[in-house]
C-alpha cells in the first residue's frame, strides 16, 4: 500500500456505538447528495458523552482530527452505513481501535470511507486527544510524535485495496469483477 496518514487524534474508549457516531435523527440525509454528505459529516460523533470533548467545532463541516483512537468494539449497535460515511465526510481518514463491531468494519470496506485499523495495544489508554500521530501502513506502525513512541498495528489484509479503490463496487470495477460503467 505505501500509504501514510498523519494528523491529530481524537481519543475515545470502549463500545462507541453507531448512535454516538451518527444519531438516528440524521439518517434521513442522503450521502450521495454532495450537500447532504457534507452536512452528515458535520454531525459526526455528536452523540458522544461530554467527557470526550468536542469532535466537531460548532458551525464547522470538517473536524481537525484525521484519526480516531478507540478501545474495544468500536462501531457497535445498529447496522448503518451512515456511521463510517459520516466520519469520512467529517474528514476522518482512519480509526485505530483494539477491536471493531463486525458490521462497522464491513461498512468501512463497503463504502471505502476510512481505514479500520486494529492496534496491538490499548492505545486509548496511552494517547490523548490532540496529539500528533503518523500511521505507516507499510511498516504497520503508529508513531505518536507528541510522546515520541511507536506502536504496532495489525495488518489490514485484503480490506486495504478495497478501501484504496473507494469501496466494494469501485474495487469490483477496478479489478474486472463487474463491468465498468
Amino acid at each position: 500500500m505505501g500509504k501514510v496518514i498523519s494528523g491529530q487524534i481524537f481519543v475515545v474508549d470502549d463500545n462507541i456505538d453507531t448512535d454516538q457516531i451518527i444519531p438516528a435523527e440524521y439518517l434521513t440525509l442522503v450521502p450521495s447528495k454532495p450537500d447532504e454528505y457534507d452536512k452528515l459529516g458535520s454531525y459526526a460523533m455528536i452523540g458522544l458523552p461530554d467527557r470526550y470533548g468536542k469532535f466537531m467545532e460548532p458551525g464547522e463541516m470538517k473536524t481537525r482530527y484525521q484519526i480516531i483512537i478507540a478501545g474495544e468494539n468500536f462501531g457497535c449497535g445498529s447496522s448503518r452505513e451512515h456511521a463510517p460515511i459520516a466520519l469520512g465526510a467529517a474528514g476522518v481518514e482512519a480509526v485505530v481501535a483494539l477491536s471493531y463491531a463486525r458490521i462497522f468494519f464491513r461498512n468501512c470496506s463497503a463504502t471505502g470511507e476510512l481505514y479500520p485499523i486494529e492496534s496491538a495495544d490499548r492505545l486509548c489508554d496511552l494517547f490523548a486527544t490532540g496529539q500528533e500521530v503518523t500511521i505507516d501502513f507499510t511498516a504497520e506502525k503508529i508513531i505518536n510524535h507528541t510522546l515520541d513512541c511507536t506502536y504496532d498495528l495489525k495488518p489490514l489484509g485484503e480490506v486495504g485495496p478495497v478501501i484504496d479503490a473507494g469501496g466494494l463496487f469501485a474495487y469490483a470495477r477496478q479489478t474486472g469483477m463487474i463491468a465498468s460503467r
Side-chain angles (χ1 to χ4, degrees):
M1 285 181 41
K3 187 167 182 69
V4 171
I5 298 173
S6 294
Q8 287 189 22
I9 57 173
F10 188 83
V11 180
V12 294
D13 52 27
D14 300 328
N15 302 310
I16 300 302
D17 65 45
T18 54
D19 281 324
Q20 292 170 316
I21 296 169
I22 187 72
E25 65 195 84
Y26 303 110
L27 298 182
T28 58
L29 294 169
V30 180
S32 60
K33 295 180 179 178
D35 60 326
E36 292 191 25
Y37 175 85
D38 291 340
K39 198 169 197 175
L40 189 63
S42 74
Y43 295 122
M45 304 295 266
I46 199 168
L48 286 175
D50 291 339
R51 67 185 167 98
Y52 291 113
K54 293 280 184 215
F55 177 74
M56 189 74 67
E57 293 299 322
E60 293 295 320
M61 299 298 273
K62 299 280 185 191
T63 184
R64 65 179 178 186
Y65 306 107
Q66 294 82 19
I67 300 162
I68 294 173
I69 304 294
E72 295 182 69
N73 202 27
F74 187 85
C76 58
S78 304
S79 168
R80 54 180 75 152
E81 287 181 340
H82 281 67
I85 292 171
L87 293 175
V92 175
E93 296 180 54
V95 177
V96 178
L98 203 53
S99 66
Y100 292 89
R102 183 179 176 129
I103 192 66
F104 180 86
F105 190 92
R106 169 70 172 81
N107 284 336
C108 286
S109 64
T111 63
E113 285 289 333
L114 54 93
Y115 294 91
I117 306 165
E118 290 185 330
S119 59
D121 299 294
R122 189 172 167 80
L123 300 179
C124 65
D125 292 340
L126 305 172
F127 291 10
T129 294
Q131 293 176 336
E132 295 282 338
V133 304
T134 297
I135 297 171
D136 183 331
F137 287 78
T138 303
E140 297 172 348
K141 304 277 184 199
I142 185 169
I143 302 120
N144 185 315
H145 302 289
T146 307
L147 299 176
D148 195 27
C149 294
T150 301
Y151 297 89
D152 292 329
L153 299 173
K154 295 181 181 177
L156 264 176
E158 294 179 11
V159 76
V162 176
I163 296 170
D164 287 342
L168 198 54
F169 285 104
Y171 178 78
R173 284 186 194 93
Q174 190 179 78
T175 58
M177 292 177 174
I178 60 175
S180 295
R181 292 181 183 173

